[in-house]
Amino acid sequence: MLTVFIATFVLFLLIIGGMSLGYVFKRKSLQGSCGGITSLGMEKVCDCPEPCDARKKREAKEALRRRQLEKHRIL
């Protein structure tokens, strides 16, 4: 059982090491090959003209948080 764990761990380390070599030598990060949702002509995940109520609530909460941080900022 321990040998399977060690073999799997070594395999993951080799894969991560191989991916990091691509970044080190080419300075290029990982990216998908299909282009994502932009290849479908969509600018965002939901193609709604207006955000839903839950998203509006989250954005309002985040805006309030940013305003409070700016107000109480020390520097």
Side-chain angles (χ1 to χ4, degrees):
M1 184 71 170
L2 185 62
T3 57
V4 173
F5 174 75
I6 292 173
T8 305
F9 186 72
V10 168
L11 181 68
F12 275 110
L13 285 178
L14 287 173
I15 291 170
I16 292 170
M19 289 189 301
S20 66
L21 285 177
Y23 177 77
V24 169
F25 290 118
K26 293 185 179 183
R27 296 285 184 210
K28 193 173 183 183
S29 62
L30 295 175
Q31 59 186 9
S33 61
C34 66
I37 62 170
T38 55
S39 66
L40 300 174
M42 298 171 60
E43 293 180 11
K44 53 186 179 178
V45 175
C46 71
D47 209 15
C48 307
E50 188 176 318
C52 63
D53 292 336
R55 184 175 180 116
K56 286 181 186 177
K57 187 187 265 187
R58 271 195 318 266
E59 289 174 353
K61 193 175 185 181
E62 181 63 27
L64 176 65
R65 183 179 163 277
R66 271 188 257 119
R67 282 195 306 268
Q68 286 177 344
L69 285 173
E70 281 295 317
K71 181 179 175 184
H72 299 294
R73 194 167 78 180
I74 295 172
L75 296 175

